[in-house]
Amino acid sequence: ALNHPTLILWGRQDKLTPVTLGDRFQAELPNSQLIVFEECAHNPYAEQFERFNTKVLRFLGQRDPALKRRGFL
């Protein structure tokens, strides 16, 4: 099993891959975090890009403090 920190981002209204799969991924990946975007379908990176970018940068910043020093956070 993958044991690295893993960020799972999912759209609640995703018709291709329902959020129950995101729940399953989180259950199968012991060191994962699931973030569900409400009122979002299959592409949260495009549909809610500002929130998506904030969540990804925050997740990465928790693992690499140098991102903050470099001005990415």
Side-chain angles (χ1 to χ4, degrees):
L2 181 65
N3 198 23
H4 296 285
T6 305
L7 180 62
I8 305 166
L9 301 166
W10 220 275
R12 171 99 41 213
Q13 270 58 51
D14 192 333
K15 302 280 191 237
L16 298 172
T17 52
V19 74
T20 54
L21 289 176
D23 294 329
R24 183 174 173 190
F25 285 2
Q26 184 179 29
E28 296 286 330
L29 298 168
N31 199 9
S32 65
Q33 175 186 0
L34 173 65
I35 297 175
V36 178
F37 290 78
E38 303 296 331
E39 299 182 23
C40 185
H42 190 68
N43 301 311
Y45 62 87
E47 296 173 52
Q48 295 185 22
F49 62 90
E50 288 180 2
R51 183 167 180 241
F52 177 91
N53 290 340
T54 298
K55 297 294 184 184
V56 169
L57 288 172
R58 187 171 295 142
F59 176 80
L60 294 174
Q62 292 169 350
R63 278 126 196 96
D64 184 0
L67 289 174
K68 191 169 198 170
R69 288 193 308 272
R70 293 180 189 149
F72 290 108
L73 302 175

